[in-house]
Amino acid sequence: MKSIIFIFLILMSFFVEAQEITEYEKPIDLNYILGTIYWDDIVIKELSGCNVTILKQSDPKRTPEELFEGYGGKLSNLIISVNNKGEFAYSDLYFINGIISPKIIEVEEDLSQKLIKIRVKFKDKNFIEMQRIYEINALY
């Protein structure tokens, strides 16, 4: 009986099509995003019910020419991935676009409200330092 099952599995493997790597439909956008991420400035925070990963991305395409007159500054985006822990993992992806010189100060969770709070220090358009707390839903 075992030999019959083994032979069946071998024959079935010949009829299974091999998966091919295909090119992403919009390679320019994906290449742009991956090519402008600051890979040495990644924030990873493990919380009680989920994990948070924050990537900082330079965004020269969205930077107005007159904003950084006199030097080559660029606006930044934060890409935030929140994924739950557990057997059936899933995730949400968030973007904070068009900020100047962002720095992640703190990532914490508010269990009573099921929120993740991300405190970010950045500069406004007049280059005055500010802080803001962004709240996103936690995945539990």
Side-chain angles (χ1 to χ4, degrees):
M1 182 68 177
K2 288 183 183 178
S3 61
I4 294 173
I5 294 173
F6 181 71
I7 292 171
F8 177 73
L9 291 174
I10 289 175
L11 290 174
M12 288 302 294
S13 68
F14 289 114
F15 297 107
V16 175
E17 292 182 25
Q19 295 294 321
E20 291 184 14
I21 298 175
T22 57
E23 193 171 321
Y24 184 69
E25 289 183 55
K26 296 182 180 180
I28 296 171
D29 293 339
L30 185 58
N31 285 336
Y32 175 74
I33 290 171
L34 293 175
T36 55
I37 288 175
Y38 295 106
W39 293 105
D40 58 345
D41 192 12
I42 299 173
V43 175
I44 300 173
K45 180 74 174 190
E46 188 171 327
L47 303 173
S48 66
C50 56
N51 296 317
V52 178
T53 304
I54 304 173
L55 304 169
K56 188 165 84 171
Q57 176 205 8
S58 171
D59 197 354
K61 286 185 179 179
R62 290 190 184 176
T63 304
E65 290 181 24
E66 65 278 353
L67 183 61
F68 295 100
E69 210 167 305
Y71 72 98
K74 294 171 184 55
L75 291 176
S76 296
N77 303 322
L78 295 177
I79 303 169
I80 303 164
S81 172
V82 179
N83 63 315
N84 71 327
K85 298 177 183 177
E87 185 176 341
F88 301 104
Y90 55 92
S91 64
D92 285 335
L93 192 63
Y94 301 93
F95 293 87
I96 301 172
N97 294 318
I99 53 180
I100 301 171
S101 302
K103 181 175 169 127
I104 307 301
I105 304 296
E106 182 179 36
V107 178
E108 63 183 6
E109 62 186 332
D110 183 343
L111 294 174
S112 64
Q113 297 182 353
K114 296 184 180 180
L115 291 174
I116 298 170
K117 296 182 179 183
I118 302 170
R119 183 184 305 272
V120 179
K121 182 168 69 171
F122 61 96
K123 295 179 181 177
D124 68 4
K125 294 187 185 215
N126 296 319
F127 299 98
I128 298 171
E129 282 197 2
M130 305 179 74
Q131 285 191 23
R132 180 171 175 190
I133 296 175
Y134 293 91
E135 295 179 343
I136 54 179
N137 293 326
L139 301 176
Y140 297 117

